[in-house]
Amino acid sequence: MLDIERLREDFPILHQRVNGHRLVYLDSAATTQKPRAVIDALVNYYETSNANIHRGIHTLAQRATEQYEDTRAKVARFIGASNPEDVVFTRNTTESINLVAHSWGDRFIGEGDEIVISQMEHHSNIVPWQLLAARAGAAVRFASLTPDGHLDVDSLRALIGPRTKLVSLMHMSNVLGTINPVAEFAEMAHRAGALFLLDAAQSVPHLPFDVRATGADFVAFSAHKMLGPTGVGVLWAREGLLEEMDPFMGGGDMIATVREEASTWAEVPHKFEAGTPNIADVIALGAAIEYLEALGMDEVRRHEVALTAYAMDTLERIPGLAIHGPRDPEERGGVVSFEVPGVHPHDMATIADGHGVAIRAGHHCAQLLMRQLRVPATSRASFSVYNGEDDIAPLVEAIEHARKVFA
Amino acid sequence: MLDIERLREDFPILHQRVNGHRLVYLDSAATTQKPRAVIDALVNYYETSNANIHRGIHTLAQRATEQYEDTRAKVARFIGASNPEDVVFTRNTTESINLVAHSWGDRFIGEGDEIVISQMEHHSNIVPWQLLAARAGAAVRFASLTPDGHLDVDSLRALIGPRTKLVSLMHMSNVLGTINPVAEFAEMAHRAGALFLLDAAQSVPHLPFDVRATGADFVAFSAHKMLGPTGVGVLWAREGLLEEMDPFMGGGDMIATVREEASTWAEVPHKFEAGTPNIADVIALGAAIEYLEALGMDEVRRHEVALTAYAMDTLERIPGLAIHGPRDPEERGGVVSFEVPGVHPHDMATIADGHGVAIRAGHHCAQLLMRQLRVPATSRASFSVYNGEDDIAPLVEAIEHARKVFA
Amino acid sequence: MAELFDDLYRELILDHYRRPRNHGELPDAPIRVEGVNPVCGDEIHLDLKVADGAIADIGFWGHGCSISQSSASMLTERLKGRPLDEAGRVTKKVRAMLIDGELPDSELGDLEALEGVARLPVRVKCALLCWNVLEQGLAEAATTA
Amino acid sequence: MAELFDDLYRELILDHYRRPRNHGELPDAPIRVEGVNPVCGDEIHLDLKVADGAIADIGFWGHGCSISQSSASMLTERLKGRPLDEAGRVTKKVRAMLIDGELPDSELGDLEALEGVARLPVRVKCALLCWNVLEQGLAEAATTA
Ligand SMILES: Cc1ncc(COP(=O)(O)O)c(C=O)c1O
Ligand SMILES: Cc1ncc(COP(=O)(O)O)c(C=O)c1O
């Protein structure tokens, strides 16, 4: 079991008061807080090893290159991938998906082809495909949802056909918490001869993740949602796929030779990392991974399931309060979107802030889903390893306060 | 005058020994070291304010958003731009240029159009245009160099014509040190009805920069070369230009509305910042700018001219040693590429490292220029604010050692 | 402090939120304008009749948080039947209060209740939404007049 | 420490760099292979004659740093006239020494002088370039034989 009290000691930001109350941070689905080990990794890098990588011969450049490439290996290990060379560092999940839309999509998607996604997706897994479809004359098709907040498997099956070239779906919903049975979806895609991209922004940080078990051809996620720094994303691709793809951005480090007539590309993954990468933050992601590995992802998952169950049980006791998404905590992650009757989510979030409780209110970059839920916005509490049951009481207090204000 | 002794106190990394010697860091053109103020800005952000920005209502989100947008204003001020909204944050110079190649280029460059660059350019200002030209059926034309390492103005003039849609040139060479008379080049471009992009990766960090005086329509540079963190680049565009451009990447934060049929875009600059940005490092760039402003960019330039003059005078006393680029230190930045007869640059860099001296050896992402210089690689020493005349003696010692080894 | 938020959610604001004034479409309104805050989804529609240099009639509807909706309700109450130059002046003073943190002017009347919003930058946009829509509507009135 | 680099730049390496053995094209070589290290621009060309299960003749040229060029010179000296299985074994042992930091095997002969390179990861690629090119050449020989 995670010892939350001790663990919170590792997160300096949590030891502050906000509007006179202990900070209760319930917005980890947006971005997580960072343990001291991650902050120290940044400081240590800049104080001892900072240099530009890959082309340098001097000692600092060697150190920086080694630490940067070490993190590639750590990422591969963390997601159960066999080749570090299949891991590309980007800025965030969004860039990882856009990279695929350009480097794979512009090459393999043509007139009349179809890309299947769902109404549950984050904008980052919608807009890149709309842009690609517009460039290629292709179409984006949207699988629908069941009333209890699952992806409607029949609707997905009906959409996937001979024109489908790519199925791109989220692993865990950032609004409903729903965990999708992605291995099944991957199989449906593959049977139709399509590739399967997995938006794992909300899953890799919160549960034991094995890339082989997902069946995915591409996996995208962000360091900042897994206790790591802002500015780093990961794209993993099945062995051999990166080689077939065109470069995304051109520039330093991604070339083999540059001539006036034409240039040739460096080997993967470097072909996709143009210019000076975000060296320090990549290295700090390595520290975040080590921190999570030390906790154990099984433990992390167990903790968050228990906390989610507790939070749902507690919130549901508030008269009229409604929770979106699956009722069974085993079928979802630590994300609880709720409605307080008569209280608009923005008012809810402002009043919560007055109690030191950081929740998010809005469309959560999921406008299609909001339309399905027939709400303009929701209030959302989301958890990470540093949250405990003692964070729920202040949330309940804030909700009661809001109900009183808007009674 | 800069007080180098005191100033070095601000850079923790410099207080170490490498291979038994004081670290002498002469590789700032690749990336600069970071003052304590920049490292502290990162630590402070993660310890007090970390949150996702723009959509958050709680206190941390407000703090983070404010600090992030404050840096946009600081960047605008630092380069003499009037509107913070014309500043887009990217990963690095390379992404800034690729963004223009896609968002502006894919819209405005067509069959038969021409993009004029030069043989002096960094790969980051070559390859994006080659990729664009291949997509659009356009052509890239290369202005040549004079024997003393200047851009050949006649050759540039001859290339710019009615088909020219863009002229894209570097401000300061990362190999030769040459400072180009860019206002003159901008005028040539504008007279032909073309736009002018300025690769300011090596100039913004080292001299007083006024975007209006350059005449540029686009300016690109990197935080990591100006005492800031890795992972942040800047694209500035002349007022109104960003509005005319298509989005680059799609995803969260860059949209106004997302519908199944189509989406609409957020206002600039947000339209070009898809997904969670590199919040912490953008804020730390703000600290780097404040540090440079406190030193005064006039002082920085004066210091580097004097140090470059001293270094060139000293190195030229070594028998047979040749320095590339303009002879007059007023015409160049603090970048000195040199050849030691009989010593390959990689051997030179390895031996220098044995003396604690970090120099760079290679093609410096400028293979076209290497071909013009008729060398496979050069050795390069490059300076920043923390370098002093006492850094030159260890370099000379290393060169003498190398000459002895390869005598 | 909880007081900050008690100050924000003053009774007057809540009253306008619960019982919005001039709510609903104006049949045959010659001017219909709307605005959306893409960040939070707040939506305000204004229907306007302008005659003899004054806002002859005004109605609003929409959805969103208490701040955006009560601000719109107070706007209609304050400006219905008032001359255009007064509408312009009040708009300016609301902006000064919300954006620049200036003390509310006596001309603002009930709108003074929005003063607490100025301390919450993310909510200022909610309060301003209807005023931007009004400006758009009056600009339209000026060109069609 | 300066000794690290004295150890790297041993007299034997410098000697091969200054006076490369088997340098230049082999006229009528049935096999011509080349390799470039894109990171640093080092270039190695190998010309090979394979006959009766042995490297009957070998020549090299190219340009680059002392490590890449002396490694190639030592390679030709060590393997000229030697059986193919010996070439394979020596290649393996050079890799083991440079990549895995294993102690040099007596079969390596002069090549042992490259031992110091193993401690400088960025320079290992320089030393390995010619061995990769050799492997390519022998693979070609196997298919054309
Ligand atoms: C002149 C010039 N342009 C562009 C770049 C690319 O910068 P970055 O690697 O930060 O994208 C560099 C840095 O190496 C440079 O010196
Ligand atoms: C499911 C999902 N996909 C994608 C993203 C986008 O992540 P980022 O903003 O790091 O690109 C998010 C985060 O908001 C998310 O929750």
Side-chain angles (χ1 to χ4, degrees):
Chain A
M1 245 187 53
L2 300 187
D3 179 348
I4 301 306
E5 280 302 317
R6 259 195 63 187
L7 207 148
R8 278 183 189 154
E9 291 296 314
D10 298 338
F11 291 81
I13 200 170
L14 298 178
H15 307 128
Q16 66 177 297
R17 297 184 84 73
V18 164
N19 290 317
H21 298 266
R22 171 172 79 88
L23 168 62
V24 173
Y25 186 76
L26 298 177
D27 194 18
S28 291
T31 198
T32 56
Q33 298 305 339
K34 323 304 173 197
R36 161 112 10 248
V38 168
I39 302 172
D40 284 351
L42 287 172
V43 172
N44 182 57
Y45 170 75
Y46 284 127
E47 290 193 355
T48 68
S49 314
N50 174 64
N52 214 326
I53 57 171
H54 290 145
R55 288 155 294 148
I57 284 171
H58 56 77
T59 298
L60 296 186
Q62 288 185 52
R63 264 188 221 153
T65 302
E66 203 174 300
Q67 293 174 34
Y68 180 87
E69 293 301 329
D70 268 3
T71 298
R72 210 189 291 280
K74 282 181 198 167
V75 168
R77 185 184 66 207
F78 189 66
I79 62 172
S82 27
N83 301 320
E85 300 76 40
D86 294 329
V87 170
V88 177
F89 289 118
T90 62
R91 177 176 34 247
N92 48 29
T93 303
T94 303
E95 188 185 1
S96 296
I97 297 176
N98 279 275
L99 194 163
V100 175
H102 277 274
S103 293
W104 180 84
D106 282 338
R107 179 151 200 168
F108 292 105
I109 299 272
E111 187 88 29
D113 286 342
E114 293 183 358
I115 299 152
V116 174
I117 64 174
S118 87
Q119 290 174 334
M120 198 189 269
E121 301 309 314
H122 189 280
H123 294 162
S124 293
N125 195 24
I126 300 173
V127 183
W129 309 121
Q130 291 180 325
L131 293 172
L132 168 61
R135 289 196 299 276
V140 183
R141 311 287 304 270
F142 297 81
S144 58
L145 309 183
T146 64
D148 67 336
H150 282 98
L151 209 151
D152 183 332
V153 182
D154 292 334
S155 127
L156 182 65
R157 190 175 295 112
L159 284 180
I160 297 178
R163 299 175 159 222
T164 310
K165 289 288 174 299
L166 179 74
V167 177
S168 187
L169 297 168
M170 69 197 334
H171 197 174
M172 183 195 294
S173 166
N174 62 316
V175 178
L176 304 170
T178 317
I179 296 177
N180 283 318
V182 289
E184 188 183 325
F185 298 167
E187 215 187 298
M188 287 165 61
H190 291 155
R191 263 201 307 270
L195 294 195
F196 181 62
L197 185 150
L198 184 61
D199 172 0
Q202 295 293 348
S203 58
V204 163
H206 296 287
L207 43 78
F209 186 93
D210 181 345
V211 82
R212 285 156 307 199
T214 65
D217 300 292
F218 295 108
V219 173
F221 55 98
S222 297
H224 72 93
K225 292 189 199 281
M226 54 191 288
L227 314 186
T230 58
V232 178
V234 169
L235 172 68
W236 172 88
R238 186 169 41 72
E239 194 172 347
L241 263 177
L242 290 176
E243 273 88 357
E244 295 174 17
M245 289 158 57
D246 289 323
F248 180 29
M249 300 196 212
D253 244 31
M254 58 71 72
I255 57 93
T257 57
V258 173
R259 290 176 196 274
E260 292 195 10
E261 316 78 57
S263 298
T264 60
W265 315 132
E267 304 203 327
V268 302
H270 306 293
K271 177 168 139 187
F272 297 104
E273 295 181 1
T276 304
N278 189 351
I279 306 166
D281 290 324
V282 164
I283 291 168
L285 166 60
I289 287 175
E290 284 178 355
Y291 188 89
L292 284 170
E293 285 178 336
L295 297 181
M297 290 309 291
D298 284 311
E299 281 302 324
V300 168
R301 173 69 181 145
R302 236 189 316 272
H303 168 70
E304 291 182 13
V305 170
L307 181 55
T308 304
Y310 176 80
M312 290 174 77
D313 290 347
T314 312
L315 291 182
E316 278 178 347
R317 261 180 251 133
I318 297 173
L321 186 142
I323 293 177
H324 296 289
R327 185 59 198 81
D328 182 350
E330 294 285 350
E331 289 177 8
R332 54 145 76 219
V335 172
V336 180
S337 282
F338 58 92
E339 308 291 331
V340 184
V343 184
H344 190 278
H346 293 130
D347 293 318
M348 186 61 243
T350 293
I351 289 175
D353 192 46
H355 291 255
V357 179
I359 61 170
R360 191 144 291 239
H363 54 59
H364 315 293
C365 294
Q367 291 187 359
L368 298 187
L369 177 56
M370 293 300 114
R371 227 159 282 140
Q372 295 308 308
L373 300 176
R374 293 175 199 287
V375 294
T378 78
S379 303
R380 181 185 74 183
S382 58
F383 312 129
S384 184
V385 294
Y386 37 73
N387 293 116
E389 300 194 348
D390 59 343
D391 291 338
I392 307 305
L395 173 62
V396 170
E397 236 169 75
I399 295 174
E400 294 294 3
H401 182 181
R403 291 180 68 225
K404 229 182 306 166
V405 168
F406 288 95
Chain B
M1 247 188 52
L2 301 186
D3 179 347
I4 301 306
E5 280 302 318
R6 260 195 64 186
L7 206 149
R8 278 184 190 152
E9 290 297 313
D10 298 337
F11 291 81
I13 200 171
L14 298 178
H15 307 128
Q16 67 176 296
R17 298 185 81 75
V18 164
N19 290 317
H21 299 265
R22 170 173 79 89
L23 167 61
V24 173
Y25 186 76
L26 299 177
D27 195 19
S28 290
T31 198
T32 57
Q33 299 304 339
K34 321 306 175 198
R36 160 110 11 246
V38 167
I39 302 171
D40 284 350
L42 287 172
V43 172
N44 181 58
Y45 170 76
Y46 284 126
E47 290 193 354
T48 67
S49 314
N50 175 62
N52 215 325
I53 57 171
H54 291 146
R55 288 156 294 149
I57 284 172
H58 56 75
T59 299
L60 296 186
Q62 290 185 49
R63 262 186 223 153
T65 302
E66 202 174 300
Q67 292 174 34
Y68 181 86
E69 293 300 330
D70 268 3
T71 298
R72 211 190 290 281
K74 282 180 199 166
V75 168
R77 184 183 68 206
F78 189 65
I79 63 172
S82 25
N83 302 320
E85 301 76 40
D86 294 330
V87 170
V88 177
F89 289 118
T90 63
R91 178 176 32 249
N92 48 28
T93 304
T94 303
E95 188 186 2
S96 296
I97 297 176
N98 279 274
L99 194 164
V100 175
H102 277 274
S103 293
W104 180 85
D106 282 338
R107 179 151 201 169
F108 294 105
I109 299 272
E111 186 89 27
D113 286 342
E114 294 183 356
I115 300 152
V116 174
I117 62 173
S118 87
Q119 291 174 334
M120 197 190 268
E121 301 308 313
H122 189 280
H123 293 163
S124 293
N125 195 25
I126 300 174
V127 183
W129 310 121
Q130 291 180 326
L131 293 172
L132 168 62
R135 289 197 299 277
V140 182
R141 312 288 303 270
F142 297 82
S144 59
L145 309 182
T146 63
D148 66 336
H150 283 98
L151 209 152
D152 184 331
V153 182
D154 292 334
S155 125
L156 182 64
R157 189 174 296 114
L159 283 179
I160 298 177
R163 298 172 160 226
T164 311
K165 288 287 174 300
L166 179 75
V167 177
S168 187
L169 297 169
M170 71 198 329
H171 197 173
M172 183 195 293
S173 165
N174 62 317
V175 178
L176 305 170
T178 317
I179 296 176
N180 284 318
V182 288
E184 188 184 327
F185 298 167
E187 216 188 297
M188 287 165 60
H190 291 154
R191 262 201 307 269
L195 293 195
F196 181 62
L197 186 151
L198 184 61
D199 172 359
Q202 295 293 348
S203 58
V204 164
H206 297 286
L207 44 79
F209 186 92
D210 181 345
V211 82
R212 287 156 305 197
T214 66
D217 300 291
F218 296 109
V219 173
F221 55 98
S222 296
H224 72 92
K225 292 189 198 279
M226 53 191 286
L227 315 186
T230 57
V232 178
V234 170
L235 173 67
W236 171 88
R238 186 169 42 72
E239 195 172 347
L241 263 177
L242 290 175
E243 273 87 356
E244 296 175 17
M245 288 158 57
D246 289 323
F248 181 28
M249 300 195 211
D253 244 34
M254 59 70 73
I255 55 93
T257 58
V258 172
R259 289 173 196 275
E260 291 195 11
E261 317 78 59
S263 298
T264 59
W265 315 132
E267 304 204 326
V268 302
H270 306 292
K271 177 168 139 187
F272 297 104
E273 294 180 3
T276 304
N278 189 351
I279 306 167
D281 290 324
V282 164
I283 291 169
L285 167 60
I289 287 175
E290 283 177 356
Y291 188 88
L292 284 171
E293 285 178 337
L295 296 181
M297 291 308 292
D298 284 312
E299 281 303 323
V300 168
R301 173 68 183 145
R302 237 191 313 273
H303 168 69
E304 291 181 15
V305 169
L307 180 56
T308 304
Y310 176 80
M312 290 174 77
D313 289 347
T314 311
L315 290 182
E316 278 179 346
R317 259 179 252 134
I318 296 171
L321 185 142
I323 293 177
H324 295 291
R327 186 59 198 81
D328 182 352
E330 295 285 351
E331 289 177 8
R332 54 144 76 217
V335 172
V336 181
S337 281
F338 58 92
E339 308 292 331
V340 184
V343 185
H344 190 277
H346 294 129
D347 293 317
M348 186 61 243
T350 294
I351 289 174
D353 191 45
H355 290 257
V357 178
I359 61 171
R360 192 144 289 241
H363 54 58
H364 314 293
C365 294
Q367 291 186 0
L368 298 187
L369 176 56
M370 293 299 115
R371 227 159 283 139
Q372 294 309 308
L373 299 176
R374 293 172 199 288
V375 294
T378 77
S379 303
R380 181 186 74 183
S382 58
F383 312 128
S384 183
V385 294
Y386 38 72
N387 293 115
E389 298 194 351
D390 59 344
D391 290 340
I392 306 305
L395 173 63
V396 170
E397 237 168 74
I399 295 173
E400 294 295 3
H401 182 181
R403 291 180 68 224
K404 229 185 301 168
V405 168
F406 289 96
Chain C
M1 273 127 294
E3 302 86 58
L4 173 63
F5 300 91
D6 293 339
D7 183 42
L8 180 68
Y9 294 112
R10 291 197 198 158
E11 201 40 56
L12 199 59
I13 290 182
L14 297 172
D15 183 61
H16 275 274
Y17 183 48
R18 290 191 196 102
R19 305 185 302 109
R21 326 296 199 260
N22 305 300
H23 195 259
E25 294 191 37
L26 277 194
D28 322 317
I31 300 196
R32 296 180 186 278
V33 276
E34 58 181 79
V36 177
N37 182 341
V39 176
C40 61
D42 285 348
E43 209 174 308
I44 292 288
H45 300 253
L46 281 185
D47 285 6
L48 285 166
K49 279 186 198 158
V50 173
D52 301 330
I55 297 177
D57 203 356
I58 185 165
F60 93 97
W61 79 104
H63 55 80
C65 65
S66 61
I67 308 295
S68 68
Q69 304 303 305
S70 64
S71 181
S73 172
M74 289 193 270
L75 178 156
T76 62
E77 195 178 57
R78 176 68 188 76
L79 296 181
K80 186 166 163 178
R82 309 307 307 168
L84 293 179
D85 58 345
E86 188 175 330
R89 227 165 37 236
V90 168
T91 304
K92 224 186 222 151
K93 286 174 179 175
V94 167
R95 290 223 174 96
M97 175 177 75
L98 291 172
I99 301 174
D100 309 319
E102 287 187 16
L103 286 181
D105 183 284
S106 64
E107 202 174 6
L108 291 183
D110 281 8
L111 287 161
E112 186 203 331
L114 289 170
E115 193 188 354
V117 179
R119 266 173 288 159
L120 292 173
V122 276
R123 304 305 301 277
V124 166
K125 278 184 187 162
C126 308
L128 282 180
L129 180 58
C130 58
W131 299 92
N132 296 337
V133 175
L134 174 70
E135 203 159 55
Q136 208 182 307
L138 295 184
E140 226 173 84
T143 56
T144 57
Chain D
M1 272 127 298
E3 302 84 60
L4 173 63
F5 300 91
D6 294 340
D7 183 42
L8 179 70
Y9 293 113
R10 290 197 199 158
E11 200 41 55
L12 200 58
I13 291 183
L14 296 173
D15 184 57
H16 275 274
Y17 182 48
R18 290 191 198 103
R19 304 184 303 107
R21 327 293 200 260
N22 305 301
H23 195 259
E25 295 191 37
L26 276 194
D28 321 316
I31 300 195
R32 298 180 185 278
V33 274
E34 58 180 79
V36 177
N37 181 342
V39 177
C40 62
D42 285 348
E43 209 174 309
I44 293 289
H45 300 251
L46 280 185
D47 285 5
L48 284 166
K49 279 186 198 157
V50 174
D52 302 328
I55 296 176
D57 204 357
I58 185 166
F60 94 97
W61 79 105
H63 55 80
C65 66
S66 61
I67 307 294
S68 68
Q69 304 304 306
S70 64
S71 181
S73 171
M74 289 192 270
L75 177 155
T76 61
E77 194 176 58
R78 175 67 188 77
L79 296 181
K80 186 164 163 180
R82 309 306 308 167
L84 292 179
D85 59 344
E86 189 176 330
R89 229 167 34 239
V90 169
T91 303
K92 226 188 220 148
K93 287 175 177 174
V94 167
R95 289 224 174 94
M97 175 177 75
L98 291 173
I99 299 174
D100 310 318
E102 287 187 16
L103 285 181
D105 184 282
S106 65
E107 201 174 7
L108 290 183
D110 281 6
L111 287 162
E112 185 204 333
L114 290 171
E115 193 188 354
V117 178
R119 267 172 289 160
L120 292 173
V122 277
R123 306 303 302 276
V124 166
K125 278 185 188 162
C126 308
L128 282 180
L129 180 58
C130 59
W131 299 91
N132 296 337
V133 176
L134 174 70
E135 202 157 56
Q136 207 183 308
L138 294 184
E140 227 172 84
T143 57
T144 57

